[in-house]
Amino acid sequence: MAAAGDALARLAEERVDHRFKGLPPDAEGLTVGALAAERRSLFTGGFTTPVLALSAEALDHNLALMERWSAEHGLAFAPHGKTSLAPRLLERQLEHGAWGITAAVPTQVRVYRAFGIKRVFLANEVVDAAALRWLAAELTADPDFRLITYVDSVRGVELMDTALRAAGATRPLDVVVELGAEGGRTGIRTEADGTAVADAVAATDTLRLVGVAGYEAEIPDADGDAVRAWLRRMTALAVEFDKAGRFAGVEEIVVSAGGSAWFDAVAEVFGELPPLSAPVLKLLRSGAYVTHDDGSYRRKTPFNRHPEEGALRPAFRLWAQVVSRPEPGRAYLNAGKRDASYDLDLPEPQVVRSARDGSLRPATGMSVVGLADQHAFVSLAEGVELEVGDWVGLGLSHPCTVFDKWQLIPLAAESGTVTEYIRTFF
């Protein structure tokens, strides 16, 4: 595994070429680091549309806010790295106090390990023998590597144990019993199921039970009361496991939950946990906060319920150009499904940059009503001025499905100066 600093440094040595859409064609052959050093303007520096940009100021604000918020609420933080799968952003999250990084699948863990991440929470049950063989080798090779993963079935435990024994695992794999909800996603449905899974773990030498976890956002018809009730089931399960001696010898007991919609409820309920037989690692896993958005998470962030605690800022803006005005009340932009998320909300026109003089004005009276692969269909209210060549800045919803469409993303200051490029690994 490469040292973190070396691996990150090598990102700056990558050559700019046709793989990276939106970047200036005349930058072909430059290293990413050399292009960043030129500090080009996003608007006049040769970038082609569509081009996705990240706001440097919003990113800094969001990282600092969640670091402070987590600390004030007594939570450790393992942000979900699949949001960005961008090693430079993961590094910055760790610099801002993250305990480690959450992954959804082993391929994401491989990215993390390639960039030196030492602590990973894998929020899935791993039953792939090849992946378990690789994990066993990583744990053997690096005594400082810590991985925690889900278990939610006796059969899953059997498959994990078989694969780890076949791989010659030298360290037990730390696991947490995942609590789900009826009609929801993965996880046990009853406490009796949890006991059976915990018994199966105890019967192996390859697995070690260290806690309980789950994901509250997949509770059907989730609201505050339902989420808190579910979280209290989780903490009660941890208490019962502890009373039964299931965490004997564990250095710390892990209790983990928390997406980006209910982390206030997680903090509240985790704060009610009584003392257990070992210190408790109360681990929050929110990921979308890093860029926030102009759609789904703008509506459901807990900071809407607690404005006195701060506010996240949307960091994404997709710039597209008007390429057609074929009829009154309609314009077409050169960005579509290949560039923008559309699984939760369509892009939101926010600002127009005039192609004539570079002046900015609000995108009042404009709305995206549909997307094709490479076009956005924009409806215009009567009297709205918009002409071919104008740039339109779009706000986006659901960052998890934005990042995976872009391999190299300019990080731009409010002035438009690009200071860095964020590499993703989807």
Side-chain angles (χ1 to χ4, degrees):
M1 185 195 70
D6 292 344
L8 286 164
R10 283 197 294 274
L11 291 177
E13 299 169 4
E14 192 166 14
R15 297 285 173 178
V16 175
D17 58 25
H18 60 276
R19 293 170 296 164
F20 306 123
K21 60 184 180 180
L23 299 193
D26 66 359
E28 178 92 15
L30 291 178
T31 67
V32 171
L35 179 58
E38 292 184 354
R39 299 177 68 83
R40 297 195 186 197
S41 167
L42 187 69
F43 306 111
T44 61
F47 291 85
T48 62
T49 55
V51 59
L52 179 70
L54 277 170
S55 162
E57 293 85 0
L59 186 65
D60 288 345
H61 170 84
N62 294 343
L63 288 165
L65 175 58
M66 284 305 291
E67 178 183 22
R68 173 182 61 77
W69 189 92
S70 299
E72 289 177 352
H73 289 82
L75 299 173
F77 194 26
H80 212 316
K82 58 91 177 168
T83 296
S84 71
L85 215 58
R88 185 67 184 98
L89 296 185
L90 303 182
E91 180 200 37
R92 293 194 63 186
Q93 289 172 306
L94 292 168
E95 290 171 349
H96 278 270
W99 170 91
I101 304 293
T102 295
V105 290
T107 53
Q108 293 166 5
V109 183
R110 292 186 64 193
V111 175
Y112 301 173
R113 294 297 289 158
F115 290 89
I117 292 174
K118 293 288 189 182
R119 293 173 176 167
V120 177
F121 188 97
L122 179 49
N124 231 330
E125 182 172 76
V126 184
V127 295
D128 182 328
L132 288 161
R133 183 165 59 248
W134 176 80
L135 288 172
E138 285 291 295
L139 289 165
T140 296
D142 185 357
D144 294 327
F145 175 40
R146 185 173 187 199
L147 179 84
I148 302 168
T149 190
Y150 280 174
V151 287
D152 82 345
S153 65
V154 171
R155 175 59 176 158
V157 170
E158 292 172 353
L159 289 168
M160 295 170 80
D161 179 51
T162 298
L164 291 168
R165 283 190 287 107
T170 60
R171 292 170 55 190
L173 181 60
D174 285 348
V175 298
V176 289
V177 171
E178 181 195 4
L179 177 66
E182 189 71 32
R185 205 165 65 182
T186 54
I188 60 166
R189 294 300 188 253
T190 69
E191 283 70 10
D193 291 339
T195 298
V197 173
D199 286 342
V201 171
T204 75
D205 295 322
T206 56
L207 304 174
R208 183 176 74 148
L209 184 66
V210 297
V212 298
Y215 180 49
E216 71 288 341
E218 291 299 329
I219 299 170
D221 302 318
D223 60 18
D225 290 341
V227 167
R228 286 173 177 80
W230 178 88
L231 287 164
R232 290 187 176 105
R233 281 185 63 200
M234 177 194 291
T235 55
L237 189 62
V239 171
E240 288 305 309
F241 280 0
D242 192 45
K243 286 180 179 178
R246 295 186 181 278
F247 301 134
V250 170
E251 301 82 15
E252 61 183 0
I253 298 167
V254 179
V255 180
S256 178
S260 295
W262 296 104
F263 52 75
D264 55 341
V266 172
E268 176 187 332
V269 175
F270 282 12
E272 300 168 357
L273 259 170
L276 302 181
S277 63
V280 179
L281 180 69
K282 302 173 183 177
L283 198 59
L284 181 69
R285 306 195 307 275
S286 309
Y289 82 96
V290 69
T291 59
H292 198 47
D293 74 3
D294 282 299
S296 178
Y297 288 108
R298 179 177 63 192
R299 294 189 297 272
K300 63 187 181 183
T301 176
F303 288 115
N304 291 340
R305 297 185 287 272
H306 306 280
E308 73 283 359
E309 294 190 319
L312 294 166
R313 299 178 186 172
F316 274 132
R317 180 159 282 168
L318 177 64
W319 287 96
Q321 264 184 301
V322 181
V323 293
S324 183
R325 281 293 321 270
E327 60 189 80
R330 179 60 60 90
Y332 294 87
L333 311 181
N334 63 346
K337 293 179 180 178
R338 300 301 177 92
D339 313 298
S341 56
Y342 57 93
D343 54 319
L344 296 181
D345 300 282
L346 291 173
E348 177 184 273
Q350 295 180 330
V351 63
V352 176
R353 187 176 191 276
S354 169
R356 295 183 181 272
D357 59 15
S359 61
L360 297 174
R361 64 182 187 273
T364 305
M366 305 179 191
S367 61
V368 173
V369 294
L371 293 178
D373 276 0
Q374 305 292 176
H375 290 91
F377 300 35
V378 180
S379 176
L380 306 176
E382 186 175 355
V384 169
E385 295 184 4
L386 190 67
E387 64 179 346
V388 171
D390 286 346
W391 287 42
V392 179
L394 300 167
L396 302 175
S397 180
H398 197 191
C400 301
T401 51
V402 178
F403 274 108
D404 61 9
K405 299 177 185 298
W406 296 84
Q407 294 186 65
L408 199 59
I409 305 171
L411 181 71
E414 189 173 354
S415 64
T417 300
V418 176
T419 59
E420 189 177 346
Y421 294 84
I422 304 300
R423 184 72 156 94
T424 66
F425 286 87
F426 289 94

